[in-house]
Amino acid sequence: MKRRIIRIDEEKCNGCGACAAACHEGAIAMVDGKARLTREDYCDGLGDCLPSCPVGAISFEEREAPAYDEAAVAASRMEKSMPCGCPGTQSRRLERAEQCSCSTHAVSRLSQWPVQIKLAPVTAPWFQGADVLVAATCTAYAYGAFHEDFIRGRVTLVGCPKLDGVDYSDKLAMIFKANDVASITLVRMEVPCCGGLEIAVRKAIEASGKNIPLRVVTISTDGRII
């Protein structure tokens, strides 16, 4: 089919790799020190890579090319997001026996593993029909009753965009799109950097194309809900 697709001028390319990093679909790779469009079916023709090129080596062209394969792109993203083999990243549901009410020990309410957004599988049976908790890492330390008030009855995903240095919106959008999520509770700290997590969740819901109810709870640094 004839469609719009990017063109990379290898003579102009300085090998900086900025376009490969900017391509969310993974269509561009660095080969022998130059950027190349290695997967035409991964290129959506939107050109997120264009403004990242400092030497103007990327442009659009209309030509015969395979159709954009959204399913293949999603599968590739999912494969890259899967755990790397470390036992601590293996996905599993956590089954817990009822604890006697006379016990003085706090009960963990975590229902699945892993919990880090970066390590969580895109598809898992526990996401279907689930109420999902997306929490900033610090919230569980600041708020004393976090397990009872927030983790209990929910699938838990945690992260800190400031420390991890990533935008979680793509990964969360894939999870929300691939699963029948019933609701999302976002728990963040009052500090401004936590706003990045809220923005990522809102972007992910929009990108998923679903109308998923969202509740945002803000925790103060002294452990109060505000």
Side-chain angles (χ1 to χ4, degrees), residues 9-219:
D9 186 333
E10 290 192 16
E11 291 186 3
K12 289 183 179 180
C13 176
N14 65 1
C16 70
C19 59
C23 180
H24 301 300
E25 284 72 28
I28 301 174
M30 302 304 296
V31 180
D32 297 328
K34 296 286 187 176
R36 291 185 185 174
L37 180 60
T38 56
R39 289 296 302 261
E40 293 184 347
D41 57 335
Y42 281 19
C43 179
D44 59 10
L46 298 179
D48 287 348
C49 54
L50 266 71
S52 68
C53 181
V55 294
I58 304 176
S59 59
F60 285 120
E61 63 178 349
E62 291 276 343
R63 64 173 174 83
E64 290 291 329
Y68 172 57
D69 192 338
E70 184 177 4
V73 170
S76 176
R77 285 177 174 173
M78 182 172 65
E79 182 178 351
K80 291 177 182 178
S81 70
M82 290 301 286
C84 59
C86 169
T89 65
Q90 293 177 359
S91 301
R92 58 188 183 274
R93 188 188 295 274
L94 304 178
E95 302 291 345
R96 301 187 183 278
E98 288 296 321
Q99 186 168 357
C100 175
S101 59
C102 62
S103 174
T104 58
H105 299 289
V107 180
S108 173
R109 299 300 182 181
L110 196 63
S111 63
Q112 100 291 337
W113 186 268
V115 296
Q116 286 285 344
I117 297 172
K118 288 169 55 174
L119 300 179
V122 173
T123 57
W126 53 77
F127 279 128
Q128 298 303 323
D131 296 306
V132 173
L133 168 67
V134 180
T137 307
C138 296
T139 55
Y141 296 94
Y143 187 77
F146 196 82
H147 274 252
E148 288 297 326
D149 291 357
F150 296 113
I151 293 181
R152 185 173 188 173
R154 296 185 175 95
V155 170
T156 303
L157 298 172
V158 303
C160 176
K162 185 176 180 66
L163 294 182
D164 289 344
V166 297
D167 180 357
Y168 293 124
S169 59
D170 286 344
K171 179 66 176 291
L172 290 172
M174 292 170 64
I175 293 173
F176 299 159
K177 188 173 184 178
N179 302 279
D180 183 21
V181 174
S183 71
I184 301 166
T185 297
L186 168 66
V187 184
R188 54 162 292 183
M189 296 298 297
E190 65 176 327
V191 295
C193 58
C194 247
L197 187 59
E198 182 173 348
I199 291 172
V201 171
R202 293 186 183 278
K203 285 172 59 178
I205 293 173
E206 182 177 359
S208 74
K210 298 180 178 180
N211 185 24
I212 307 174
L214 172 65
R215 172 193 175 208
V216 179
V217 179
T218 303
I219 307 295

